[in-house]
Amino acid sequence: MDKDDLKLNALLDNYQVNDADGDLLDRIVNHAKKQPTNVVRLPLRQREPWLKNVALIAATAVLGFWYGNSTIEPVNYRENPSATASQASYSSNLDNELLGPKSYSEVML
Amino acid sequence: MQTNLTDHELMLLVAQRDVTAYRELVARYLNFCTRFAERMVGSRHDAEDIAQEACLKIWNEAPRWQPKAKFSTWLYRVMFNSCIDYKRKVIPLPLADESSIMDESLSADELINQEQNSKRVQQALHKLPERQRAAIVLSYYEEFNNQQAAETLDMQLNAFQQLLFRARQNLKSELFQYYVEHKNGQR
């Protein structure tokens, strides 16, 4: 340790602070006693046991809905798309059935 | 009440909400906590608040306590982090000097001199970065060995030694420069 270090230590010695007093210890212990007893945070699965069941039911519902939707045929599903393409230039069969032929020539056809 | 129980054994009792064990454990470390916090934040009042918060953490964390590190090391780290958090939250006020201890055997001139030196050291300490200040407080005032201080600041031993060296260099330049200027001003 050189001369400067000793000089620094001598200066540092000037700055002293007091120890804690007894009142502070009492205050801390009293404060701790007033802490809520449920301050210990348990893991989520122990705090909310119902949450697991709700999550399982929700996941099953979502999966069921998705699976159901993916396997049902759409309302406008067509067996043979090429057949409808050929009819596109004419009125649709459904129109003919509901409204009847538009002209005499169609009746002849 | 003084017991021969270790910190770990007391902590297990605190986990079962044993107030006597808690009082014993806090009493062991309260002086360190207040002294360390006061030198870190520069105010006795704030230091007591920080020490109280840290000691409440002992109570609250006890049920989950796992002896991965020594209890004392854990508490010193809690104290250091609490001081850092406090400094970030609170706008710094002028440093208080209400708690500096004066040696009653000294003459009036010497007392004034000591008080001035104390203030000067306090101001110089507070100009240091937080980790450097903590290194000085732990190493010089609390007389921790380097290994213990390095663990408290969560550093490697070599890194702590460098930090302490830089801290002492900064303090020397800050304090010695003042005294050189002070002497020149008096002439």
Side-chain angles (χ1 to χ4, degrees), chain B residues 25-77:
Chain B
L25 193 56
V26 171
R28 283 185 190 177
Y29 291 97
L30 190 56
N31 283 339
F32 164 82
C33 291
T34 44
R35 285 194 314 259
F36 177 77
E38 186 171 350
R39 288 195 172 107
M40 286 297 289
V41 301
S43 150
R44 179 69 180 185
H45 183 258
D46 295 341
E48 288 188 356
D49 284 350
I50 293 169
Q52 183 166 336
E53 283 300 312
C55 292
L56 278 178
K57 253 184 198 163
I58 298 175
W59 179 263
N60 292 336
E61 295 292 324
R64 281 190 299 274
W65 167 253
Q66 292 192 342
K68 288 176 187 166
K70 273 174 72 180
F71 171 80
S72 54
T73 307
W74 173 78
L75 182 63
Y76 299 152
R77 276 188 197 169

Side-chain angles (χ1 to χ4, degrees), chain A residues 4-5 9 11-20 24-29 31-32 35 40-41, chain B residues 22-23 31 34-35 39 44 48 52 59-60 63-64 99-101 114 117-118 121 140-141 168 172:
Chain A
D4 280 353
D5 282 320
N9 287 355
L11 279 172
L12 288 174
D13 274 341
N14 286 297
Y15 179 38
Q16 296 298 331
V17 295
N18 289 316
D19 283 341
L24 181 59
L25 179 60
D26 290 337
R27 277 209 310 272
I28 290 171
V29 174
H31 199 160
Q35 292 289 296
V40 180
R41 287 182 68 78
Chain B
Y22 177 65
R23 174 179 275 274
N31 283 339
T34 44
R35 285 194 314 259
R39 288 195 172 107
R44 179 69 180 185
E48 288 188 356
Q52 183 166 336
W59 179 263
N60 292 336
R64 281 190 299 274
S99 66
S100 53
I101 298 170
Q114 188 189 16
N117 283 343
S118 175
V121 170
Y140 186 77
Y141 289 110
R168 287 186 70 90
K172 277 180 201 170

Side-chain angles (χ1 to χ4, degrees), chain B residues 36 40 50 57 74-89 131 152-154:
Chain B
F36 177 77
M40 286 297 289
I50 293 169
K57 253 184 198 163
W74 173 78
L75 182 63
Y76 299 152
R77 276 188 197 169
V78 167
M79 276 305 299
F80 175 66
N81 291 329
S82 302
C83 292
I84 302 281
D85 290 346
Y86 184 85
K87 294 280 285 182
R88 284 176 190 158
K89 268 189 278 182
R131 292 182 87 80
T152 301
L153 298 182
D154 204 10

